[in-house]
Amino acid sequence: MKRIVVGAHYGLKDWLAQRVTAVVMAVFTIFMIAAIAGGAVSSADAWRGFMAHRLVQIVSFLFAVSLFYHAWIGVRDIWMDYVKPPGLRLTLHVLTALALIGYAGWTVQILWRL
Amino acid sequence: MTEMTKPRPKFLTLYQIRLPVAGIVSILHRVSGAGLFLLLPLLIYTLQVSLDPQPAAVATFQSIKGNFFVQFLLFGLCWAYLHHFCAGIRYLLLDLHIGIEKSGSRKSAMIVFAVSLSLTLLVALKFLGVM
């Protein structure tokens, strides 16, 4: 059968990355539910104190990076499914990537200002 | 491409097509993901304001929290997160070949709805101080 080249790795890398980032986010979600149940949001000071822990900052950062990478794969898939004109699709891909990179910088600033 | 794909049977009588429950979970997985992406700025901004100790930020946070429209958006986002989370775990299990039979798949799709919707209700009631 003639192979049709549609891109590097035929999407396997993204498929795997989507799942790995999902697992990271799921573990973080359970961690945050436990923290909230343990009183992390009982007051504004408790919340700030909790988020100021170095370990919490690092796992929050890992969550954020996973989220933005996961969102990139998912949103790009949506554009690829519904937007066919190459110019428009490229524009949407670029805008999505720029937005996510900007959000990543914003989130880092919020986490490390504490 | 034409050599690779056999002609597929087509049934496009739209008013007779019934999407199975797993299909509804699937399309809502996409819709919830898109919604979460579009409202990311609101979520990041809320995080920022919630962590800012200055009195102006505290007042802003209280007004965001008390705004009816924002509450509506946040409950919607809460549902989107929970649906995406539950459906995502279902897909991870399907990837591991757990629950791929028709009956198991149907049951797990219904569990996704039951868990995500009841947790959303729980969070909303807790937020509004009903519970």
Side-chain angles (χ1 to χ4, degrees), chain A residues 32-52:
Chain A
M32 283 306 282
I33 291 171
I36 290 166
V41 293
S42 54
S43 71
D45 285 335
W47 172 235
R48 271 190 290 276
F50 172 73
M51 290 301 287

Side-chain angles (χ1 to χ4, degrees), chain B residues 10-115:
Chain B
K10 269 188 187 165
F11 183 77
L12 290 176
T13 317
L14 289 177
Y15 61 90
Q16 284 184 355
I17 291 176
R18 291 283 176 274
L19 198 59
V21 65
I24 302 172
V25 167
S26 177
I27 188 62
L28 288 179
H29 193 70
R30 173 160 282 193
V31 170
S32 57
L36 286 164
F37 169 72
L38 289 174
L39 289 171
L40 269 177
L42 172 71
L43 291 173
I44 301 172
Y45 178 69
T46 309
L47 176 71
Q48 177 190 309
V49 176
S50 78
L51 288 168
D52 193 336
Q54 292 171 48
V58 174
T60 308
F61 185 68
Q62 289 305 326
S63 70
I64 291 175
K65 221 177 127 181
N67 185 300
F68 181 76
F69 181 65
V70 175
Q71 285 177 2
F72 179 75
L73 283 181
L74 288 178
F75 295 152
L77 284 171
C78 184
W79 167 81
Y81 193 93
L82 287 165
H83 181 85
H84 211 83
F85 179 88
C86 294
I89 286 171
R90 178 173 177 270
Y91 293 135
L92 289 173
L93 293 174
L94 290 173
D95 284 343
L96 298 171
H97 291 235
I98 297 168
I100 49 174
E101 318 76 32
K102 194 175 175 184
S103 67
S105 151
R106 200 179 141 73
K107 197 188 282 178
S108 65
M110 290 196 281
I111 292 172
V112 167
F113 278 121
V115 173

Side-chain angles (χ1 to χ4, degrees), chain A residues 27-102:
Chain A
V27 172
F28 178 83
T29 303
I30 304 294
F31 167 74
M32 283 306 282
I33 291 171
I36 290 166
V41 293
S42 54
S43 71
D45 285 335
W47 172 235
R48 271 190 290 276
F50 172 73
M51 290 301 287
H53 279 130
R54 185 60 82 202
L55 189 67
V56 176
Q57 285 175 345
I58 292 168
V59 294
S60 301
F61 173 70
L62 291 177
F63 170 80
V65 171
S66 297
L67 172 69
F68 298 134
Y69 193 9
H70 190 91
W72 162 246
I73 299 167
V75 174
R76 191 206 50 187
D77 284 354
I78 294 179
W79 297 139
M80 289 199 295
D81 278 352
Y82 304 125
V83 181
K84 302 301 174 189
L88 180 60
R89 185 192 281 186
L90 177 66
T91 307
L92 290 168
H93 282 194
V94 170
L95 290 176
T96 305
L98 290 177
L100 289 169
I101 294 167

